[in-house]
Amino acid sequence: MIEIRWHGRGGQGAKTAALMLADVAFSEGFYVQAFPEYGPERMGAPITAFTRINEKEIRVHTNIYAPDMVVIVDETLIGAVDMTKGLKEDGKIVVNTKRPPADVAEAFKDYKGEVYAVDAADISIRYLGKNLPNMPLLSVVTKLVGVITEDAFLNEMTENLKGKFSKKPEVIEGNLNAIKEAWNSAIRVNE
Amino acid sequence: MSKRANMSGNEAISNAIRQINPDVVGAFPITPSTEIPQYISKFVADDLIDTEFVAVESEHSAMSVCLGASASGVRAMTATSSCGMALMYELLYVAASDRLPIVLAAVNRALTGPININVDHSDTMGAKDSGWIQIYSENAQEAYDNMLMAHRIAEHPEVMLPTMICQDGFVTSHAIGNILLEDDDKVKAFVGTYDPEKHILNPEESVGVGPYSIGAYYMEMKIAQFRAMENARKVISDVSSDFEKVFGRKYGMFEEYEMADAELAIVIMSSAAGTAKDAIDNLRARGVKAGLIKLRVFRPFPAAELAEALKGVKALAIMDRSDGFTGNGGPLGSEVKGALYGRTDGIKTINIVFGLGGRDVTVEGYEEVYENLEKLKSTPAEEIPYCIHLGQREEK
């Protein structure tokens, strides 16, 4: 089973990305589970969301305490929330950041697994005109999880976004372009 | 053909309601069941169902709408949680005693206070003695399946009792996961139509519903309810068998997991059972004879069957997701101990209250429960506390 924990702030789409990653894995025949941690959500407050992907039925119904991957949607949470708590030693961290790779490597120098940086905010602003980093991050995370090919992923996202934005079709193309660019945009900052 | 889908428990329940196409829904939104009336009103707007959806100003009115509709001989449904159910309490008793087979989608949530939106079972456990049939679900699939069976149980002429289908708030209501959705026509054929013997809008035969009952009749009315609840045992079993024949998924009054040779067992309900099953697999791999009973039907309570299923067990933990503050343990604890008394004595038994207000118990947490049961086996009965709590932070 692959377990992914998403850390963001209310309004950035971490929950949506967590659920859409499950949709993507589901489309490839996997068992999935995705949910946010519910509390008094409000714009800007730290939130956590979870995605599980498995080859057999998922029975466990708890938050994820020992993730294979941690996705940091908002780097201002570093230091405020213990986001790598329980993260497996051979796991992965994905950070949405504008900082140079060496800085990110320094921030996670104690972590033995793989650390990736992507400027999801920049991709989002260029293609959508605003800072909604979740779709580019979804693309990066999907590639790292490795449950689907790039072509199949783009097809699935096209269908998914058409359904989600049936009343706002003008945002579909921008999201798809952001997803396409993000697929190859993450940089491994440590070796 | 059944269809593989990926959806939340609320969406699954709502799809069951769409397929059932009830005549009337009266509902008021409350977290975490709010999505259900939301979906229903969308189905109505999209012309997918011809339900009369009544958006009321409180849960008291929601159940009142259901009472009126059901008394007039049509299918009435609602959904609620927590304080919403508490505001319905008075009418829950009216529904049961007037023998109105209303079906309620309950999404379990803690009762205030302190105010909390997450899961425990204090809301529906507060209604455990209201005369409703109560069926609990581990996941979205079970919530959906139980809802497909609900009307046939509630509306059976030998039963005629309201029925609530419960699932855990957020844990299953808002988590998306894999589910098999059955074909609309197949569901409609299974659920069937509702044609009650008596209702208040029949000009040929006038009947009264909910009249004042003096002492000379009140007790007989209550005994009729008692008998209806007794009759529900066989009806639930028959409907579940039919369900298995048509859809292939098997349901009993409870599910036994690794119970054949289990020495250490827990009785547990709803989503927590899934997590505990993973713990059992880990324990079994280490040679521990661990097993679990997941209670599906809480009302009517399957006491004799439960005692039979537990008779080989040496140590037992009864896991309650509500406290009850009774001085004698949680509601499930009291029921199970009562079921064992005189039938299967001598099991070292402890009642554990866990998961209040959404407190998470992990796979490792359940493994510890079994490790403690191993110790309980050799603990003198008089030294076992009647009830402990699990997962809380300790006082400093």
Side-chain angles (χ1 to χ4, degrees), chain B residues 170-335:
Chain B
F170 292 114
V171 177
T172 64
S173 72
H174 282 64
I176 62 164
N178 303 57
I179 181 174
L180 277 177
L181 279 186
E182 299 300 342
D183 181 70
D184 287 3
D185 292 338
K186 212 166 153 188
V187 168
K188 285 180 199 307
F190 177 80
V191 175
T193 51
Y194 177 47
D195 184 21
E197 270 176 58
K198 295 182 195 306
H199 61 84
I200 56 172
L201 295 185
N202 179 4
E204 307 299 320
E205 186 191 10
S206 63
V207 291
V209 173
Y212 176 69
S213 171
I214 55 169
Y217 297 100
Y218 185 86
M219 190 157 170
E220 285 70 20
M221 297 280 287
K222 292 289 128 184
I223 290 168
Q225 269 180 265
F226 170 92
R227 289 188 183 136
M229 191 59 89
E230 273 303 314
N231 296 343
R233 296 180 197 280
K234 182 170 186 304
V235 171
I236 292 168
S237 165
D238 290 348
V239 171
S240 303
S241 297
D242 268 5
F243 184 87
E244 188 189 354
K245 277 185 211 126
V246 177
F247 299 112
R249 290 181 293 280
K250 185 179 171 64
Y251 291 97
M253 300 295 271
F254 47 82
E255 177 193 341
E256 296 179 58
Y257 187 75
E258 298 284 2
M259 283 302 292
D261 63 342
E263 291 185 359
L264 312 177
I266 66 174
V267 179
I268 196 163
M269 294 164 71
S270 299
S271 67
T275 309
K277 285 175 190 170
D278 277 6
I280 289 172
D281 286 1
N282 295 344
L283 292 159
R284 286 270 165 183
R286 303 202 290 265
V288 180
K289 289 186 173 174
L292 163 161
I293 287 182
K294 179 186 74 192
L295 193 67
R296 171 179 173 240
V297 180
F298 187 79
R299 288 287 182 265
F301 196 80
E305 301 95 311
L306 207 51
E308 179 65 23
L310 288 167
K311 73 178 177 199
V313 167
K314 294 196 165 64
L316 171 69
I318 307 158
M319 308 289 293
D320 256 299
R321 203 159 194 169
S322 63
D323 191 303
F325 318 110
T326 66
N328 193 33
L332 185 60
S334 303
E335 296 285 352

Side-chain angles (χ1 to χ4, degrees), chain A residues 23 26 32 34 59 61 63 65, chain B residues 6 176 178 275 278 281 360:
Chain A
D23 286 340
F26 172 82
V32 296
R59 296 183 304 197
H61 285 292
N63 292 349
Y65 298 97
Chain B
N6 179 31
I176 62 164
N178 303 57
T275 309
D278 277 6
D281 286 1
D360 225 357

Side-chain angles (χ1 to χ4, degrees), chain A residues 103-120:
Chain A
D103 280 17
V104 180
E106 177 61 22
F108 295 101
K109 65 178 189 306
D110 295 333
Y111 182 60
K112 293 186 180 63
E114 302 167 20
V115 181
Y116 295 87
V118 57
D119 192 348

Side-chain angles (χ1 to χ4, degrees), chain A:
Chain A
M1 182 149 63
I2 304 168
E3 296 186 304
I4 299 146
R5 194 169 66 204
W6 303 73
H7 293 276
R9 292 183 184 276
Q12 292 174 324
K15 174 201 161 185
T16 303
L19 267 57
M20 285 177 92
L21 175 61
D23 286 340
V24 167
F26 172 82
S27 74
E28 290 291 295
F30 287 90
Y31 284 91
V32 296
Q33 189 189 69
F35 54 101
E37 184 168 51
Y38 278 91
E41 304 113 72
R42 59 238 179 259
M43 200 79 98
I47 68 120
T48 314
F50 309 92
T51 311
R52 288 190 169 98
I53 301 169
N54 202 10
E55 281 168 358
K56 53 178 197 165
E57 188 191 351
I58 300 168
R59 296 183 304 197
V60 65
H61 285 292
T62 64
N63 292 349
I64 292 171
Y65 298 97
D68 299 282
M69 193 188 299
V70 161
V71 186
I72 300 172
V73 181
D74 189 319
E75 64 178 329
T76 67
L77 291 167
I78 297 172
V81 175
D82 187 1
M83 290 180 287
T84 56
K85 191 175 181 182
L87 174 63
K88 286 183 185 141
E89 275 198 3
D90 57 350
K92 296 179 176 74
I93 299 172
V94 175
V95 196
N96 169 26
T97 182
K98 290 189 180 305
R99 290 196 275 175
D103 280 17
V104 180
E106 177 61 22
F108 295 101
K109 65 178 189 306
D110 295 333
Y111 182 60
K112 293 186 180 63
E114 302 167 20
V115 181
Y116 295 87
V118 57
D119 192 348
D122 173 63
I123 296 171
S124 168
I125 287 165
R126 277 191 286 115
Y127 288 102
L128 296 168
K130 51 187 166 182
N131 187 354
L132 286 169
N134 64 341
M135 287 301 111
L137 279 168
L138 170 65
S139 184
V140 167
V141 171
T142 302
K143 185 181 181 186
L144 289 171
V145 170
V147 291
I148 191 168
T149 64
E150 183 177 2
D151 285 347
F153 173 61
L154 289 173
N155 286 337
E156 168 60 20
M157 288 308 297
T158 305
E159 290 310 305
N160 198 317
L161 291 168
K162 272 185 192 163
K164 204 170 280 303
F165 294 115
S166 58
K167 296 198 174 70
K168 273 203 293 183
E170 67 278 9
V171 305
I172 296 172
E173 197 190 339
N175 270 300
L176 281 173
N177 287 335
I179 286 165
K180 272 183 211 162
E181 179 171 325
W183 185 265
N184 288 316
S185 66
I187 299 164
R188 171 99 185 257
V189 301
N190 65 346
E191 285 302 333

